[in-house]
Amino acid sequence: MTPAVQITPMLPGPLVRDEAGKVVGRGPAEPAPFLLTADEVSRFLRIDEDVATAQNPDNALYQRLRDYRRRNLLRGTRAGECGKNVRYPLPEVLGLLERLTEGNSQHARGRR
């Protein structure tokens, strides 16, 4: 019997910028934590690449995550002492990917 393969989700490194602010690469990857911050979710989903050129990248990122939560595609939790910041469980983020992929598949089938 072949043993099950354990896959560790990896978090892409943060974007690296040059002196002019242009994105020139990424820092080193690291294992994804179980509870992710908004910035970590953006790196995991590579949303940070999309919003990096926005006028206000931080606002664009939080708007995108808020939109996913409003559409019930992503659930977050308030964790920590103050419970002020939303954290996203890794299984929930992986579920978001599945829901977005399924929505993209349905959309593509409808265009044929």
Side-chain angles (χ1 to χ4, degrees):
M1 177 190 267
T2 307
V5 176
Q6 181 82 17
I7 297 175
T8 302
M10 296 299 287
L11 186 63
L15 295 175
V16 175
R17 299 174 184 274
D18 64 13
E19 298 81 27
K22 182 181 176 201
V23 175
V24 294
R26 284 194 174 274
E30 57 193 57
F34 184 78
L35 280 179
L36 290 90
T37 65
D39 290 332
E40 290 168 335
V41 171
S42 76
R43 287 170 40 202
F44 188 80
L45 298 176
R46 307 279 176 116
I47 295 171
D48 59 343
E49 295 171 354
D50 296 340
V51 301
T53 57
Q55 236 175 355
N56 185 344
D58 288 338
N59 189 44
L61 161 64
Y62 293 113
Q63 292 289 355
R64 175 95 50 104
L65 294 178
R66 224 182 338 264
D67 179 57
Y68 289 151
R69 288 196 320 264
R70 192 180 71 249
R71 293 169 41 206
N72 293 321
L73 294 172
L74 177 65
R75 294 180 302 168
T77 186
R78 299 209 183 267
E81 289 181 27
C82 298
K84 181 174 110 175
N85 297 318
V86 177
R87 299 287 189 262
Y88 302 91
L90 182 58
E92 188 63 30
V93 176
L94 295 172
L96 169 67
L97 274 175
E98 289 180 23
R99 290 185 283 281
L100 291 174
T101 302
E102 180 60 30
N104 290 342
S105 298
Q106 289 175 0
H107 181 71
R109 283 193 293 265
R111 291 192 322 201
R112 287 184 191 164

